[in-house]
Amino acid sequence: DSGVTQTPKHLITATGQRVTLRCSPRSGDLSVYWYQQSLDQGLQFLIQYYNGEERAKGNILERFSAQQFPDLHSELNLSSLELGDSALYFCASSPPSAGTDTQYFGPGTRLTVL
Amino acid sequence: AQKVTQAQTEISVVEKEDVTLDCVYETRDTTYYLFWYKQPPSGELVFLIRRNSFDEQNEISGRYSWNFQKSTSSFNFTITASQVVDSAVYFCALSVVGDYGQNFVFGPGTRLSVLP
């Protein structure tokens, strides 16, 4: 158990809908990263937050947004869902440090868009 | 642009054999990080190592070792005396600092099967 929790584990929804994925980092970790893993695109980095502020942005679509709250949990919002958004979404957290350090991954949320 | 190539799509070995997973990266940045991750059949991702571009020292952790060679832009991963539990997909990744902070680029992964 990495100490990172993600909810829900599975999510099935329809095209055009909006969903929110939640991630709670390990106690004491300030960084949260979001990744998408799909059959078509492989593993992709979406976005990183550090202590509530956006730190880095990767291949995140404009239909997607994220935030990190004062208690350090993070949410990834996916809207106007398309079939291609079906994927496994991972979050990871890392301890406070100047750079990217050891990352601890959550179990992932499997999103299916029908 | 950054790119990571893992030319070996699938590798199959018999338990106790040594196996090397290749990773070749492309970047024009002089400061970058290289990573390896493991994804066992259960699906979770496990961070294995991070190496920065200024540290070419090879690293050994138990049966795992990593060989970083800037001259060939490679960051290869060797498992010594492989075990069935090593069966997984292994991803190599590169991160550089861009306009939007640090970005990660992943290779397509190498599926390793260790047979008993």
Side-chain angles (χ1 to χ4, degrees):
Chain A
D1 185 355
S2 67
V4 178
T5 60
Q6 287 187 250
T7 55
K9 269 191 166 179
H10 303 276
L11 199 47
I12 301 174
T13 188
T15 54
Q17 295 298 305
R18 173 189 169 95
V19 298
T20 297
L21 312 184
R22 182 187 170 107
C23 170
S24 293
R26 293 184 333 145
S27 176
D29 287 359
L30 300 183
S31 272
V32 170
Y33 307 79
W34 285 99
Y35 299 88
Q36 179 197 58
Q37 185 177 30
S38 66
L39 288 175
D40 290 342
Q41 309 274 1
L43 261 171
Q44 291 195 96
F45 166 67
L46 296 178
I47 198 163
Q48 178 202 357
Y49 278 82
Y50 182 87
N51 202 21
E53 305 229 339
E54 184 182 299
R55 174 64 68 91
K57 189 180 271 194
N59 302 325
I60 189 165
L61 299 172
E62 285 194 13
R63 299 184 286 108
F64 296 1
S65 65
Q67 52 185 326
Q68 187 178 28
F69 295 86
D71 67 352
L72 300 177
H73 91 271
S74 177
E75 291 181 358
L76 179 66
N77 301 296
L78 315 176
S79 62
S80 302
L81 285 168
E82 302 175 1
L83 295 177
D85 298 327
S86 295
L88 197 48
Y89 291 84
F90 289 103
C91 83
S93 71
S94 65
S97 66
T100 312
D101 209 326
T102 303
Q103 295 173 313
Y104 300 88
F105 285 85
T109 292
R110 183 169 295 282
L111 172 66
T112 303
V113 182
L114 301 175
Chain B
Q2 288 75 40
K3 186 178 177 183
V4 175
T5 301
Q6 295 179 257
Q8 304 149 310
T9 306
E10 291 192 37
I11 300 176
S12 190
V13 299
V14 176
E15 211 171 12
K16 296 184 184 171
E17 283 186 14
D18 298 347
V19 57
T20 295
L21 310 183
D22 297 334
C23 173
V24 174
Y25 62 92
E26 294 177 31
T27 180
R28 292 187 178 183
D29 290 70
T30 55
T31 302
Y32 51 88
Y33 294 92
L34 295 164
F35 302 78
W36 277 95
Y37 300 87
K38 173 182 179 180
Q39 188 171 39
S42 52
E44 76 271 23
L45 275 170
V46 179
F47 168 95
L48 295 178
I49 189 172
R50 177 190 77 153
R51 172 66 74 222
N52 77 54
S53 53
F54 299 107
D55 182 3
E56 282 194 76
Q57 195 171 10
N58 290 333
E59 174 136 353
I60 298 175
S61 176
R63 294 184 298 106
Y64 294 172
S65 62
W66 290 270
N67 183 359
F68 176 27
Q69 291 200 335
K70 269 174 132 171
S71 59
T72 55
S73 297
S74 65
F75 186 45
N76 296 337
F77 173 31
T78 297
I79 302 175
T80 303
S82 60
Q83 299 177 1
V84 172
V85 293
D86 296 326
S87 296
V89 180
Y90 291 87
F91 294 95
C92 179
L94 164 72
S95 81
V96 299
V97 176
D99 292 339
Y100 300 101
Q102 201 156 63
N103 193 11
F104 292 78
V105 174
F106 288 84
T110 296
R111 182 178 299 278
L112 173 65
S113 298
V114 181
L115 307 174

